[in-house]
Amino acid sequence: MKKSTHSKIKNTAILFELLTRQVAADTIKGIDKSPALALIKEYFKSNSVVAKELVLYQTLVNERFSNPEKAAYLVNTVVKLRNKIDAKVLRDAKYSLIHEIKNHYELGDFFKTNLSEYKLYASIYRVFEGVTVSRASEVVNSRFTIIEHLTKKKSNQLQEAANPVGDYLKQDEEIRLLAYKLMIDKFNEKYANLSAKQRSILKEYINNISNTVSLKEFATNEAKQLQTQLKKQLPKVVDKITKIKLNEVVNMLDSFPKMRTIKEEHILSLLLYYELIKELKNVN
């Protein structure tokens, strides 16, 4: 059996996704200035050679066609655009990026995260790298994997999340993690530092950012636990207005099972509600 030509350490889409996850992981650890965030700003800035390749990856990840011929035409067009990128400049930039990652993180730990789109990313990498005599069948299979993905019908959830390629670096689902540090900073400005429970919620969010089903299931279970804890505190609350507000929160938590997509504002709500329980316990 031939060894795969894919190298995840050189795969731009994988490097970017893992860096965005690392930003959130650094935040949870209390690292004020995330090295991963600095690397993203440096290597994926507008018009950088690495950012240009990333946009090509995301074109093949986000687009959909009902016609396989159109999908195949897109693959050919994207490959042509990829071939216009200076290979040496791109190779040197990625080598420098990997070197920087190695300076800040243990590579074994950095690359051990499971990615839901790994097979697709690997297929795009192989097609970008081109055909050789010994790898012709592998590249052909990779092309078919991409075309099958492009012609696969998107769920409503994915359609809502999809954005124009030009807006990718600002709005893509994974880039949301870059703003996560600001959200936690805002949380900590008003409240105490995150508790172990709150940190576990963030960790679950990071680990399931690409798994919308697991994330929704997790958030729904957390909402049920919060409801149970809030109901236990209700009889101890004397103030009528506070009791009314707490009942409103309990009712609001019923909406979690009905949500189609769990977003960062929903995770922030869970953090705030656990902070509320903490305050209620202190008062009572």
Side-chain angles (χ1 to χ4, degrees):
M1 183 176 182
K2 294 180 180 179
K3 185 178 180 182
S4 171
T5 57
H6 177 240
S7 173
K8 62 182 177 182
I9 201 170
K10 297 177 184 177
N11 189 310
T12 297
I14 289 177
L15 288 171
F16 180 73
E17 181 166 346
L18 293 179
L19 281 169
T20 57
R21 291 180 182 227
Q22 190 63 52
V23 172
D26 288 347
T27 300
I28 290 178
K29 294 175 183 176
I31 298 174
D32 186 42
K33 295 182 179 179
S34 169
L37 181 56
L39 291 176
I40 289 171
K41 289 180 177 179
E42 179 180 355
Y43 287 91
F44 293 91
K45 60 189 174 185
S46 179
N47 293 324
S48 73
V49 67
V50 180
K52 287 178 181 178
E53 186 182 45
L54 176 64
V55 170
L56 295 177
Y57 268 95
Q58 288 305 316
T59 300
L60 297 178
V61 170
N62 291 332
E63 290 294 333
R64 289 293 188 279
F65 293 95
S66 58
N67 188 330
E69 291 182 5
K70 289 183 178 180
Y73 186 81
L74 176 67
V75 174
N76 292 335
T77 301
V78 169
V79 170
K80 287 179 182 178
L81 291 172
R82 167 59 168 69
N83 290 339
K84 289 182 179 180
I85 298 177
D86 190 305
K88 184 180 184 305
V89 174
L90 178 60
R91 183 173 61 252
D92 291 347
K94 285 199 276 190
Y95 177 83
S96 179
L97 172 58
I98 294 164
H99 180 73
E100 290 289 342
I101 292 172
K102 189 175 181 180
N103 285 341
H104 296 287
Y105 305 102
E106 205 286 314
L107 286 184
D109 293 334
F110 184 82
F111 282 101
K112 72 179 180 181
T113 303
N114 292 325
L115 303 176
S116 61
E117 298 288 4
Y118 181 86
K119 181 180 179 181
L120 178 61
Y121 290 157
S123 296
I124 296 172
Y125 174 89
R126 294 189 189 101
V127 170
F128 281 176
E129 290 302 304
V131 180
T132 63
V133 174
S134 62
R135 300 296 179 185
S137 62
E138 187 178 65
V139 174
V140 169
N141 288 333
S142 294
R143 275 183 173 266
F144 275 108
T145 296
I146 298 170
I147 292 171
E148 286 173 4
H149 172 79
L150 289 169
T151 54
K152 181 174 63 177
K153 187 176 180 181
K154 279 190 177 183
S155 66
N156 290 332
Q157 207 170 54
L158 287 174
Q159 287 174 346
E160 290 172 358
N163 299 292
V165 174
D167 293 335
Y168 169 73
L169 290 177
K170 293 181 181 178
Q171 298 179 25
D172 185 80
E173 181 184 16
E174 302 303 335
I175 204 67
R176 290 185 301 155
L177 290 174
L178 297 180
Y180 216 65
K181 186 178 187 303
L182 294 177
M183 187 177 80
I184 302 306
D185 287 345
K186 289 179 181 179
F187 181 88
N188 284 331
E189 282 176 9
K190 191 170 182 180
Y191 301 97
N193 289 331
L194 297 176
S195 66
K197 179 62 175 177
Q198 290 164 330
R199 287 179 183 275
S200 71
I201 291 175
L202 285 179
K203 183 177 181 181
E204 194 71 25
Y205 176 65
I206 296 164
N207 291 338
N208 289 292
I209 187 69
S210 299
N211 191 334
T212 55
V213 175
S214 293
L215 185 59
K216 180 180 177 181
E217 182 180 346
F218 168 76
T220 300
N221 288 336
E222 286 297 327
K224 289 179 181 178
Q225 290 183 39
L226 280 164
Q227 280 184 318
T228 300
Q229 292 190 46
L230 285 170
K231 287 177 181 178
K232 286 181 180 179
Q233 295 298 320
L234 273 171
K236 304 174 185 178
V237 177
V238 178
D239 184 76
K240 290 183 178 179
I241 295 178
T242 302
K243 186 168 287 191
I244 290 172
K245 294 294 182 183
L246 288 177
N247 274 310
E248 289 178 358
V249 171
V250 170
N251 293 331
M252 285 171 60
L253 288 167
D254 282 329
S255 65
F256 272 80
K258 304 171 187 175
M259 291 177 181
R260 297 173 68 180
T261 306
I262 299 298
K263 301 179 180 179
E264 57 260 39
E265 56 262 34
H266 303 137
I267 299 299
L268 180 56
S269 295
L270 294 177
L271 299 180
L272 292 173
Y273 293 151
Y274 272 111
E275 191 69 23
L276 175 61
I277 289 173
K278 189 162 54 176
E279 291 300 319
L280 285 172
K281 289 179 178 179
N282 288 337
V283 171
N284 294 330

